[in-house]
């Protein structure tokens, strides 16, 4: 997909809103708050966040796998998604974003295109070995970073991109949620993208509050100290998980023993 294609599409809009398939999304609040001339970007599983048909201009993005030869989601997800848009989609975009590779790996020689969709965004070609090794970018992250990089003047608003697990929707472990939030927040700090939640006057983060109250602590100092503290806490959490894993070894063995008998029965 060429930046010019999307740039031409965005020229008719004041803002482009990326809607994550997240429990934190309230689509009615979003559409009431954002400008009338907003282009909404959804993803294949958007039925999770659209409780009723959507009547505004929209783009639908799909994850492609196997080099762009097939979709990740099954047909039922497509049927459900299509049924929720009362207007004709402004575009459909397929996203190829494979697992991260080590530095020095051969780069994708040319942007890959898929016959399954009118437009294909090849994240791997555009960004090379950016993503952590053996982890896979989320489709929303791929679109957001591509827009921030290729169309820096686009007025991009992220809706529901919290990276925080909810009670209902799964967060797949093949994605590096921490890396993605760091990258997105860096773009937010530079003014390249914005978060919808901030337009609602969400309270400043705990680190920002420290700096606001004690300006003698620079943001860089707070970030460095926070990184060390979080690293220590994460190490402690790993130890607790290891203890829990050790304590449940007998239970896992018993379960595995009876599971073998169950498989024999089939």
């Amino acid at each position: 997909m060429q930046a010019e294609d999307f740039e031409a599409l965005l020229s008719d809009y004041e803002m482009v809103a990326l809607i994550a398939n997240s429990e934190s999304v309230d689509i009615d609040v979003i559409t009431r708050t954002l400008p009338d001339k907003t282009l909404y970007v959804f993803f294949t599983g958007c039925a999770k966040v659209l409780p009723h048909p959507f009547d505004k201009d929209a783009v639908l993005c799909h994850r492609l796998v196997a080099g762009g030869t097939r979709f990740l989601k099954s047909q039922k997800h497509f049927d459900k998604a299509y049924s929720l848009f009362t207007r004709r989609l402004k575009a459909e975009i397929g996203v190829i974003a494979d697992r991260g590779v080590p530095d020095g790996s051969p780069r994708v020689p040319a942007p890959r295109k898929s016959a399954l969709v009118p437009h294909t965004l090849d994240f791997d070609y555009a960004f090379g070995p950016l993503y952590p090794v053996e982890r896979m970018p989320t489709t929303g992250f791929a679109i957001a970073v591509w827009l921030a990089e290729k169309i820096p003047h686009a007025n991009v608003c992220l809706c529901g991109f919290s990276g925080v697990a909810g009670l209902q929707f799964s967060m797949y472990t093949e994605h590096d949620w921490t890396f993605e939030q760091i990258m997105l927040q860096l773009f937010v700090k530079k003014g390249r993208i914005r978060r919808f939640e901030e337009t609602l006057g969400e309270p400043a983060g705990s680190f920002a509050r420290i700096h606001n109250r004690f300006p003698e602590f620079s943001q860089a100092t707070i970030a460095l100290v926070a990184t060390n503290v979080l690293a220590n806490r994460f190490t402690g959490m790993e130890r607790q998980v290891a203890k829990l894993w050790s304590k449940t070894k007998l239970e896992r063995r018993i379960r595995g023993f009876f599971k073998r008998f169950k498989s024999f029965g089939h």
Side-chain angles (χ1 to χ4, degrees), residues 109-260:
R112 293 165 288 184
K113 296 183 179 180
S114 173
L116 302 176
V117 286
H119 304 285
T120 307
L121 189 159
D122 190 341
F123 179 87
D124 304 322
Y125 173 78
F127 294 99
L130 168 68
Y131 208 80
V133 176
E134 292 303 317
R135 308 295 285 278
M136 186 179 296
T138 63
T139 312
F141 173 80
I143 292 284
V145 173
W146 187 88
L147 283 172
E149 174 74 13
K150 302 299 181 183
I151 314 179
H153 60 273
N155 190 8
V156 180
C157 182
L158 305 180
C159 305
F161 282 68
S162 66
V164 178
L167 298 177
Q168 300 178 24
F169 302 167
S170 299
M171 290 185 67
Y172 300 107
T173 56
E174 64 261 30
H175 305 311
D176 192 326
W177 299 98
T178 301
F179 175 82
E180 294 194 4
Q181 287 301 307
I182 291 171
M183 281 287 301
L184 294 176
Q185 194 59 27
L186 286 171
F187 281 119
V188 169
K189 289 292 186 183
K190 283 293 183 180
R192 302 272 288 276
I193 58 178
R194 67 179 67 184
R195 293 183 186 271
F196 173 74
E197 291 73 18
E198 294 178 359
T199 68
L200 298 179
E202 287 285 320
S206 55
F207 298 157
R209 290 181 178 185
I210 294 174
H211 177 68
N212 292 339
R213 179 61 180 81
F214 302 101
E216 63 268 28
F217 298 132
S218 70
Q219 293 183 351
T221 299
I222 295 172
L224 179 60
V225 172
T227 299
N228 291 331
V229 171
L230 290 172
N232 290 333
R233 287 181 59 81
F234 184 75
T235 300
M237 182 181 69
E238 283 187 316
R239 290 172 180 165
Q240 293 299 321
V241 171
K243 287 181 182 179
L244 181 62
W245 188 255
S246 177
K247 289 181 179 180
T248 58
K249 179 186 286 187
L250 178 61
E251 288 87 342
R252 295 199 310 275
R253 285 183 174 178
I254 293 174
R255 180 180 297 178
F257 177 77
F258 284 105
K259 190 174 182 179
R260 288 198 298 272

Side-chain angles (χ1 to χ4, degrees), residues 32 46 59 63 65 76 98 107 132 163 169 175-176 185 198 218 243 258 264:
R32 286 197 304 267
C46 58
V59 169
R63 189 177 200 96
V65 294
K76 68 177 182 180
D98 298 329
R107 297 197 62 161
F169 302 167
H175 305 311
D176 192 326
Q185 194 59 27
E198 294 178 359
S218 70
K243 287 181 182 179
F258 284 105
F264 290 148

Side-chain angles (χ1 to χ4, degrees), residues 76-93:
K76 68 177 182 180
H77 292 94
F78 283 79
D79 294 340
K80 183 62 175 176
Y82 291 143
S83 71
L84 290 167
F85 296 101
T86 59
R87 299 185 186 182
R88 182 177 180 180
L89 292 169
K90 290 296 180 179
E92 284 192 77
I93 301 172

